Amino acid sequence: MIEKDIIIVGGGAAGFFAAINIAEQHPELTVAILERGKEVLTKVKVSGGGRCNVTHAEFMPQELVKNYPRGEKELRGPFHTFMTGDTIDWFEKRGVELKIEEDGRMFPVSNSSQTIIDCFLYEAKKHKVSVLKNQSVTTIVNKDDAWELETKTDSFSCKKLVIATGSNPKIWKLLESLGHSITSPVPSLFTFNIKDSRIATIPGVVAQDVEIEVLGTPLFSEGPLLITHWGMSAPSILKLSAFGALELAKRDYKFKIQVNFVKQDFETITEELKILKQEHSKKTVANYTQFNLPKRLWLQLVLASKIGGETRWADINKQQIDALATQLTKAIFNVDGKSTFKEEFVTAGGINLKEVNFKTFESKIHKTLYFAGEVINVDAVTGGFNFQNAWTGAYIVSQNIAN
C-alpha cells in the first residue's frame, strides 16, 4: 500500500493546478497525481488549437458567470475568491506571460500549449509532487477516516482525496457507489450539421454579426457565424450548443434554426430593398452586395430568392423583394446532427451541484473528498471559460484541503 497525505485523481489541468498549489503552500504534505493514461495534460495540449486558451479577459464575477450554462449561480462566490486576474498573476509569477486577443480569449505569448504544460511539469517537480502514470483507478473506498484506492497495478491510501478527472464515466460510477448522484452527460460544445444549397458552396465564409434562434425553444444567440463544409460553427452556434445542450440532446440534434443575417426586422429591410431598387436600378442585384455581408453569402441569398444572377435592381418585383428580405432576416435551416468542435470535447453533466460545498469544493456527503474541474456538473461556452472553472475550483480546494 502506497501512502500519501493527498491523492489527486486526474492528471489534467485541474489536477496539476490543485497539486502544485497544495504542495507549494504545504511542503510538509506528500501529494500524488494518479493519471490513467501514458501522458498527462493531453487536453491542455490540444486546447485552443494547440495554443491553450488559458482564460478569458472578463474581470467582473457577475459577468464571468454568464458564460456558464450550468454553474452560473454556484460559481459566483468562488469567482470572488479566485478568477481571471488571479489566473494571470499565477502564471506570470511562474514565468508564463499571457496575452489578450481581440475576442477576449487569453493565450500564452508563446502561442503554444507546451508552455503551459512545461510550467506545470516544472512546478510539480519543484514542489515534489509525485506524478504517477498508467494508474487507472478501479475502486475507491472510505475506510477508518482514510481513503483507499485500487488501480490496475497498485494500492494507495490517503487522508484527503481530490477528484479532477473531468468527464470520466468510470469515475462517476465509482462516485455513485459512494452515494453521489450524477447528472447524465451530454455533449455541450458542438457545431451544427446542415446540408443546404445556400451554404454548400461557400465554406469558410464568415458573417460577422448574426442573430440565431432555435425554433420552438427560447434558445437565442448572436455573434459571428462561420459556414463550414459540414454546416455552421463559430461563437453564435457554440453558444446555442452550450446553453441548449440538454434541449438539443432531447431532440436528437434534429431541429430548425432561424438566422437573421442583418439583425434588422423584415419590414425595415423590405423598405431598404425598395430604396435600393430605385437608387441603383441599373446595377445587378447579385453583384451589388449589401448590409456588409460577405459577397459569396449575399449571392447565395439572392439566388435563393429566385433572383437571377444577371437580374438588375430595376427588374425585381415585390415577390422577389419579400423573398430576399425573408432570406436576410428569417432564413430557416434544418439541422441534422452535430460535430465535435475542433479537438475540444466538453460535456454537460457530472456530480450534482447540490452535493458540492462551493465555499470549499468539498463533497457534502463525504468529508475529505474534494472536486475540481468538469467532474462536477459545470460547463461553459468556448473561450477559456472551462479552464477558468478548473483553476478556480482547484485553487479553492488547495486553500481548504490542508486546513
Side-chain angles (χ1 to χ4, degrees), residues 123-300:
E123 292 293 326
K125 187 175 181 182
K126 175 182 171 183
H127 296 292
K128 298 182 173 57
V129 173
S130 302
V131 180
L132 308 175
K133 301 172 188 174
N134 295 309
Q135 295 287 354
S136 182
V137 174
T138 55
T139 62
I140 301 174
V141 178
N142 188 236
K143 192 174 178 184
D144 300 328
D145 293 327
W147 292 97
E148 293 186 359
L149 294 83
E150 298 282 338
T151 70
K152 290 179 179 176
T153 56
D154 295 294
S155 299
F156 297 86
S157 73
C158 61
K159 296 169 187 170
K160 296 184 179 180
L161 179 62
V162 183
I163 307 295
T165 51
S167 305
N168 185 327
K170 288 181 180 176
I171 295 297
W172 281 332
K173 268 209 161 30
L174 293 179
L175 291 170
E176 274 186 315
S177 72
L178 292 169
H180 274 286
S181 52
I182 306 298
T183 303
S184 297
V186 297
S188 174
L189 277 186
F190 51 87
T191 60
F192 293 177
N193 293 352
I194 299 170
K195 289 183 179 175
D196 191 291
S197 59
R198 288 167 291 181
I199 62 172
T201 60
I202 56 170
V205 164
V206 177
Q208 287 300 336
D209 197 12
V210 306
E211 293 176 342
I212 307 179
E213 56 184 293
V214 178
L215 295 180
T217 78
L219 293 168
F220 171 89
S221 76
E222 53 190 343
L225 172 69
L226 168 67
I227 292 164
T228 68
H229 287 286
W230 58 88
M232 292 180 179
S233 184
S236 60
I237 296 293
L238 296 170
K239 280 183 210 167
L240 286 178
S241 75
F243 282 90
L246 304 180
E247 178 64 35
L248 301 182
K250 276 187 210 165
R251 294 167 182 251
D252 196 25
Y253 308 103
K254 298 184 196 314
F255 51 92
K256 294 179 189 293
I257 58 171
Q258 180 172 289
V259 182
N260 186 334
F261 289 104
V262 291
K263 295 182 80 170
Q264 294 188 63
D265 60 47
F266 174 84
E267 289 75 18
T268 302
I269 291 301
T270 301
E271 291 307 312
E272 291 194 31
L273 292 173
K274 287 176 182 174
I275 293 168
L276 288 168
K277 174 179 165 70
Q278 290 176 342
E279 294 183 353
H280 304 284
S281 58
K282 293 182 180 178
K283 291 181 177 174
T284 307
V285 178
N287 294 339
Y288 195 57
T289 307
Q290 293 298 307
F291 310 111
N292 294 317
L293 289 176
K295 288 181 181 178
R296 292 195 293 157
L297 175 60
W298 170 261
L299 172 61
Q300 293 305 317

Side-chain angles (χ1 to χ4, degrees), residues 33 42 120 213 265 349 384 389:
I33 292 172
T42 51
F120 282 156
E213 56 184 293
D265 60 47
N389 167 50

Side-chain angles (χ1 to χ4, degrees), residues 303-316:
L303 296 176
S305 307
K306 301 290 189 285
I307 298 171
E310 301 302 319
T311 304
R312 297 181 309 163
W313 281 99
D315 300 325
I316 61 173

